[in-house]
Amino acid sequence: MLTTHLLAIFLISAIVSHSKALRFPQELYNLSSNQIFIVDNLSRPPSSSASPTPLLSPAVSSPLVPALFIIGDSTVDCGNNNYLGTFARADRPPYGRDFDTHLPTGRFCNGRIPVDYLALHLGLPFVPSYLGQTGELEDMLHGVNYASAAAGIIFSSGSELGQHISLTHQIQQFSDTYQQFVLSLGEDVAIDLISSSVLYISIGINDYIHYYLRNVSNVQNLYLPWGFNQFLASTMRQEIKNLYNTNVRRFVVMGLPPIGCAPYYLQRYKSNNGECVEEINDMIMEFNFFTRYMTDELLHELPDAGIIFCDVFQGSMDIIRNHKSYGFESTANACCGLGKYNGWMMCMSPQMACRNASDHIWWDQFHPTDAVNAILADNVWRSRHTEMCYPMNLEKMVFSQSLNNLV
């Protein structure tokens, strides 16, 4: 049977969810029935021309884990940067036009981001941003999203855009949340809550976009790509160990996407027919190799830890190469932007956006559309379209570790 502490967590969570459901992101709930909205086919996004289909229950009948905690950058930022002085914000149309509310939320997408889909798979509501919630216990019991657009593994990556919350600061915020759980629930319950939850990490791409590729501080003369990748992976390794010491036991570590195929670099490197920039993609593949090797080492080093590495590059390239079978027409042009491939200028107004984002792979200069996010999330959850998570997908990790909690 489940431990007494874990049962207490779910009981507290259920009571709080019933009494203060509207304190969680309102876009998830039908105000008259508290039904969660989810599209019929999780591999495709909700359309701006059709309402989401209400189900009688979440993706699963009850939460599979107590909470989902998220650390990362703009790939998973759900609104933290709305509260910061920065150019890296997505709080204006047309961002969010295909989201459940059809309003901008701070997500760098036309609709949902990957962790929105994963939350539904786990039976959880959308996870609120750290800076957007009130700080009350009930706002955090199902998880907190600490991700900040422009953040990187290196503290100063992305600083030219303004304020952001670095990886180190996000981990400190997570530690603060943990301490609040300890004070409010007691140490044993807090430990069970954190160790039974999932922590999702998606960060590192800005260390290339805003640091290495811009040659900040003459970094290219100090580090060859191989050395820079190894430095980033070793830094990530230490941060995962720090999180482990805060009683995190279930990690999802995301690799980096093929930004050499992003519209910004296609126009900057003058790609003729939408061919990806191989020298950039080679660096990304190398980083992913180091990170996968690092997570495999940690699996053997950290007792009771469940760590999966998901190769976003591999999953994304499968979509690009087989775009027709996935239903995409455009592989190079961003739906929203200006210039060649719509990659010269960032998405700034609804007039710059295409009519139908669902047949595009790229939403703006750097970020994929909701449709791509749904496919990648399905791969993370149960390898639906292609195997990209090692040594197992998230569904298998959750259920295998749940079995270990049975007496």
Side-chain angles (χ1 to χ4, degrees), residues 301-312:
E301 181 180 338
L302 303 177
D304 303 323
I307 308 174
I308 61 174
F309 169 75
C310 296
D311 194 336
V312 181

Side-chain angles (χ1 to χ4, degrees), residues 24-61:
F24 293 100
Q26 285 91 333
E27 57 265 25
L28 280 176
Y29 293 93
N30 178 307
L31 301 186
S32 62
S33 63
N34 278 4
Q35 292 175 345
I36 288 184
F37 284 108
I38 180 172
V39 292
D40 284 328
N41 184 347
L42 283 178
S43 69
R44 301 300 290 173
S47 167
S48 59
S49 60
S51 299
T53 304
L55 298 182
L56 295 177
S57 62
V60 292
S61 58

Side-chain angles (χ1 to χ4, degrees), residues 323-345:
H323 61 277
K324 291 289 186 181
S325 63
Y326 283 103
F328 296 109
E329 296 297 329
S330 177
T331 63
N333 293 320
C335 174
C336 188
L338 196 65
K340 191 173 184 180
Y341 302 113
N342 283 338
W344 177 64
M345 183 177 290

Side-chain angles (χ1 to χ4, degrees), residues 21-165:
L22 295 183
R23 296 298 301 274
F24 293 100
Q26 285 91 333
E27 57 265 25
L28 280 176
Y29 293 93
N30 178 307
L31 301 186
S32 62
S33 63
N34 278 4
Q35 292 175 345
I36 288 184
F37 284 108
I38 180 172
V39 292
D40 284 328
N41 184 347
L42 283 178
S43 69
R44 301 300 290 173
S47 167
S48 59
S49 60
S51 299
T53 304
L55 298 182
L56 295 177
S57 62
V60 292
S61 58
S62 60
L64 299 176
V65 296
L68 173 63
F69 297 95
I70 301 151
I71 286 173
D73 50 31
S74 59
T75 57
V76 285
D77 186 351
C78 69
N80 281 307
N81 275 31
N82 293 354
Y83 301 89
L84 303 178
T86 175
F87 288 107
R89 295 168 67 133
D91 56 349
R92 63 190 181 280
Y95 287 94
R97 72 176 196 185
D98 300 321
F99 190 64
D100 300 59
T101 58
H102 306 300
L103 295 171
T105 62
R107 291 165 171 82
F108 284 75
C109 186
N110 60 303
R112 295 174 179 175
I113 51 180
V115 289
D116 294 330
Y117 288 102
L118 290 176
L120 295 180
H121 281 304
L122 291 166
L124 299 170
F126 287 1
V127 181
S129 65
Y130 178 78
L131 296 181
Q133 44 90 29
T134 64
E136 296 183 17
L137 177 67
E138 52 264 39
D139 289 337
M140 300 183 288
L141 276 177
H142 286 305
V144 181
N145 187 327
Y146 308 92
S148 174
I153 297 171
I154 297 171
F155 182 84
S156 59
S157 291
S159 59
E160 76 277 7
L161 297 177
Q163 293 178 313
H164 67 266
I165 309 167

Side-chain angles (χ1 to χ4, degrees), residues 18 73 75 80 87 134 149 167 187 192 205 207 218 223 234 261 270 299 312 318 328 346-347 357 398:
H18 176 75
D73 50 31
T75 57
N80 281 307
F87 288 107
T134 64
L167 173 62
E187 185 172 14
D192 270 357
I205 204 65
D207 297 296
N218 205 29
Y223 288 100
S234 64
C261 304
K270 298 179 171 56
L299 268 175
V312 181
D318 181 68
F328 296 109
M346 63 187 296
C347 179
V398 168

